[in-house]
Amino acid sequence: MTEQLRLMAVHAHPDDESSKGAATMAKYVSEGVDVLVATCTGGERGSILNPKLQGDAYIEANIHEVRRKEMDEAREILGVKQAWLGFVDSGLPEGDPLPPLPEGCFALQDVAEAAGALVKLIREFRPHVVTTYDENGGYPHPDHIMTHKITMVAFDAAGDPDAYPEAGPAWQPLKCYYNQGFNRPRTEALHNAMEERGLESPYGEWLKRWDEFQRAERTLTTFVPCGEFFELRDKALIAHATQIDPEGGWFRVPMELQREVWPTEEYELAKSLVDTSLPEDDLFAGIRDN
């Protein structure tokens, strides 16, 4: 291709872009690819997960503004563009039975109507590749599942000139991927490598819960080499200070061990309008040479 390649990553909340596929995005930015993060909600109902910031009255009262500033910092670190779709965080319901979702939240929107905002953004940015979550949301947060739903509608509708005519001239992305960075082969490889070196693995409980939840294994089709960008990924994630403890389990695996044992980020090819052979090592496989 002679024109600049473009990648759009559709995420539910600010911080999701830094915990899912961030090193991939940084790699592509370094190669001159135009990368846009579409953030569906403002994360208004997100809990303050960093114990050092819990109980901070200002943050609790201004969580939406704080998370927006965190997103600005992460965006700068990764070198990506970013757009807000403007939906309201649904929160993660807890309890048995689960409480109803809050009125007006993202997960309660009409899917076809909500997809219109993403169709408009796709037609404006004109990505060749779109990434998002699988039908389970990666994990079953209502906003992640809704993100999947609107992305799949928008991927198909953006190229249909009869759909959403008010959203601008049609543009058809060529490939759609599901983020699958939290996969069992990677987790087991890092866990075993830590134990072999006499280090305490942060993944022991994860692997026990994997069996407990009987999580279905996904098909990993695409392994993007991006180990040299893992430090940028972590820096972007730490920028979301309300959501991540810099001394937590996310950061317990030494960087050199990660690069040696598992230097890729993984994806599942969900839709492709170009010919490609699996497995891939590039989200733009089949596009670059067309």
Side-chain angles (χ1 to χ4, degrees), residues 110-282:
D110 176 80
V111 173
E113 189 174 326
L118 186 55
V119 169
K120 185 173 187 296
L121 192 61
I122 288 173
R123 289 178 177 175
E124 288 171 353
F125 182 65
R126 307 197 311 156
H128 301 97
V129 174
V130 174
T131 66
T132 190
Y133 317 131
D134 62 36
E135 65 277 5
N136 302 310
Y139 80 107
H141 189 298
D143 286 337
H144 285 239
I145 293 169
M146 186 64 166
T147 298
H148 163 80
K149 289 177 179 178
I150 72 163
T151 305
M152 302 318 286
V153 169
F155 182 90
D156 292 335
D160 180 356
D162 295 326
Y164 304 91
E166 72 288 352
W171 172 265
Q172 180 59 60
L174 298 173
K175 297 173 88 174
C176 179
Y177 289 91
Y178 298 150
N179 297 290
Q180 296 296 357
F182 300 123
N183 60 75
R184 187 157 190 161
R186 172 187 178 274
T187 306
E188 286 182 337
L190 292 174
H191 174 76
N192 293 338
M194 289 285 280
E195 293 206 323
E196 285 164 9
R197 289 160 175 77
L199 302 170
E200 184 181 351
S201 167
Y203 299 123
E205 282 303 311
W206 285 28
L207 290 168
K208 284 181 194 169
R209 292 171 68 193
W210 220 299
D211 292 329
E212 181 185 318
F213 292 137
Q214 299 181 328
R215 184 174 171 182
E217 293 303 310
R218 306 294 305 198
T219 301
L220 304 178
T221 63
T222 310
F223 299 75
V224 178
C226 51
E228 65 189 284
F229 297 95
F230 284 176
E231 284 170 338
L232 266 184
R233 170 203 67 192
D234 288 358
K235 191 177 176 187
L237 189 54
I238 289 169
H240 292 282
T242 60
Q243 302 303 299
I244 198 79
D245 180 358
E247 295 172 14
W250 279 97
F251 309 107
R252 286 194 193 132
V253 181
M255 190 61 66
E256 287 311 310
L257 185 150
Q258 292 183 51
R259 290 194 179 114
E260 175 192 336
V261 173
W262 204 272
T264 61
E265 289 184 335
E266 293 72 56
Y267 298 84
E268 177 182 353
L269 180 59
K271 291 193 174 197
S272 181
L273 303 182
V274 296
D275 291 333
T276 184
S277 56
L278 302 178
E280 305 169 319
D281 62 3
D282 179 12

Side-chain angles (χ1 to χ4, degrees), residues 82-94:
Q82 190 259 341
W84 302 95
L85 290 188
F87 297 105
V88 177
D89 190 348
S90 306
L92 181 60
E94 295 180 289

